[in-house]
Amino acid sequence: MAVLPSKPAPFFANKNRAFWNLQFAGWGGAMLLRAVTAIANGQSLDFMVPLAIEIVTGFSISLILSVVYRKLINRRPLVTWGVTAIVLAIAVGIYAAIDGWVFMLYRPQSESSFAAILVGISMLPFTLLGTWSALYYAINYFLQVEEQTDRLERLEAQATSAQLAMLRYQLNPHFLFNTLNSISTLVLLKQTEPANAMLTRLSSFLRHTLISQPGGKVTLAQEIETLKLYLGIERMRFEERLRTEFSIEPAAAHARLPSMLLQPLVENAIKYAVSAQEEGARISVAARLVGNRLRVTVSDTGPGLQASQMRPSLPLAITGEGQAVSTGVGLPNIRNRLAQAYGDDHLFEIRTPPEGGFTVMIEIPHDSAGAEEPAEPQPRISGNSPSPSPSPAAQIAKRPIGTQA
């Protein structure tokens, strides 16, 4: 399912203008047809006068009918069609009476009675007004269905946007808890300089994340910059134990994906790879285009699923032997966001080799930002991220990060 806002494209952008355009076009076409037929049958040009009166009469009566039909169209079907039949019969009678009177004025030598003339010409008013009434109801019913469809699409888009926003906001409380917990430890240890540096980085990270819409998409370059801000905060906890590597193809840097999609994967890697090992671990983020799809891989050099502490925050893992291993409730946040944004047109795969390590691969349709997007800072294509200047106390790295959201 697409997560972009719905913008209706109505059949008639301006209904009032469309009504008058159709009104003039329809009755003008009827007059042209009658005039061509009369000239082909050898009628004199004087016939144009009663013909014009006839068309103006039909035009005027149809305007009155439009007012009546507008009141009837949303009533119960029995009322709508019953009253419409009565009103149409009256309108046809009036139309035929005016046509008969004009015919008698145009041909005073006619020996036919008014009643005979009225019966003879009533078929034409019935055809014109009956066709006009059918078109009026058909077009308006179509427009009502179109409006309901547009309204439903808007509601679905709003519901999807709200769902994406809720999933995005689930990330913030857990991350803030961990970061504030670390800052609190620094303050208790009187490590004022690292605490101030971490607060500054936290402020930059939050400011960066608040710029993007919760349910919107960002370029991969923007997502990587957000990850680097987050890793800068975490590196103050783990120092050299946290090593990162980015390998982003230039062609993939402008691809779009849901904002804050990769941060939970990196946070999970920090918890179960970096924090779980005394020597730490390396976290690698790679992205490339595979045909018309974007493939993003987040991997770490941690113990994988072979450690005694499983990763309960990941849904399903595939071991080196190809067996699926259940690891708890999973990362419903990422799965739900991918499902909301792409439906079934996405891949979320987790693999762990027997020798250790953990890899999460996400594959989504390639959606390029295009040339109109403003220039964003590009992530470093490869290599390790530089270590930050301030070094926090070693005790912070041993504090628990908390449970995954």
Side-chain angles (χ1 to χ4, degrees), residues 18-283:
F19 172 81
W20 288 107
N21 290 340
L22 292 175
Q23 187 80 342
F24 282 112
W27 288 105
M31 181 175 180
L32 180 62
L33 179 62
R34 291 289 309 280
V36 171
T37 303
I39 293 175
N41 291 331
Q43 294 281 353
S44 63
L45 294 179
D46 294 342
F47 180 75
M48 298 299 169
V49 176
L51 177 60
I53 296 176
E54 175 186 328
I55 296 299
V56 170
T57 301
F59 185 92
S60 303
I61 292 177
S62 65
L63 292 180
I64 299 174
L65 289 178
S66 68
V67 176
V68 177
Y69 291 168
R70 192 180 303 120
K71 302 292 184 181
L72 296 174
I73 194 169
N74 292 321
R75 301 297 182 93
R76 290 182 300 174
L78 182 62
V79 175
T80 299
W81 301 122
V83 177
T84 296
I86 296 174
V87 172
L88 180 60
I90 295 173
V92 169
I94 296 174
Y95 195 173
I98 295 176
D99 275 0
W101 175 70
V102 172
F103 179 82
M104 293 185 67
L105 291 179
Y106 178 68
R107 292 183 178 178
Q109 69 277 9
S110 176
E111 298 179 356
S112 301
S113 64
F114 180 76
I117 295 174
L118 189 64
V119 173
I121 66 175
S122 59
M123 184 55 65
L124 181 62
F126 176 77
T127 302
L128 291 175
L129 293 182
T131 303
W132 186 94
S133 300
L135 288 174
Y136 181 90
Y137 278 115
I139 292 174
N140 279 276
Y141 276 127
F142 171 78
L143 293 178
Q144 286 185 355
V145 171
E146 185 185 48
E147 288 178 354
Q148 292 175 358
T149 302
D150 292 337
R151 190 178 300 112
L152 180 61
E153 291 178 354
R154 285 177 177 270
L155 291 176
E156 289 179 349
Q158 291 172 0
T160 300
S161 179
Q163 177 73 6
L164 289 173
M166 181 192 71
L167 294 172
R168 240 290 298 275
Y169 288 142
Q170 286 178 357
L171 305 176
N172 295 334
H174 171 60
F175 167 72
L176 287 175
F177 171 79
N178 289 333
T179 306
L180 293 177
N181 195 28
S182 301
I183 295 175
S184 174
T185 301
L186 286 173
V187 173
L188 291 176
L189 296 173
K190 301 185 184 302
Q191 299 282 342
T192 56
E193 185 177 349
N196 181 66
M198 187 173 284
L199 279 174
T200 302
R201 296 191 179 204
L202 175 62
S203 175
S204 300
F205 175 79
L206 293 179
R207 187 180 300 109
H208 191 86
T209 56
L210 288 175
I211 292 176
S212 61
Q213 293 294 330
K217 295 182 179 181
V218 296
T219 63
L220 181 61
Q222 291 172 309
E223 184 75 357
I224 295 300
E225 288 300 315
T226 304
L227 277 182
K228 288 184 176 181
L229 288 173
Y230 166 72
L231 289 169
I233 297 173
E234 293 293 349
R235 189 170 288 107
M236 298 190 67
R237 295 165 46 87
F238 297 99
E239 299 179 338
E240 69 278 357
R241 294 174 59 197
L242 173 58
R243 301 178 296 278
T244 57
E245 181 180 7
F246 294 90
S247 179
I248 311 298
E249 284 187 353
H254 294 287
R256 290 159 57 88
L257 72 167
S259 61
M260 295 289 289
L261 183 68
L262 304 181
Q263 191 265 351
L265 297 177
V266 174
E267 185 174 1
N268 190 84
I270 291 176
K271 177 180 180 181
Y272 292 104
V274 179
S275 180
Q277 301 181 121
E278 188 66 28
E279 71 275 12
R282 183 180 70 252
I283 300 175

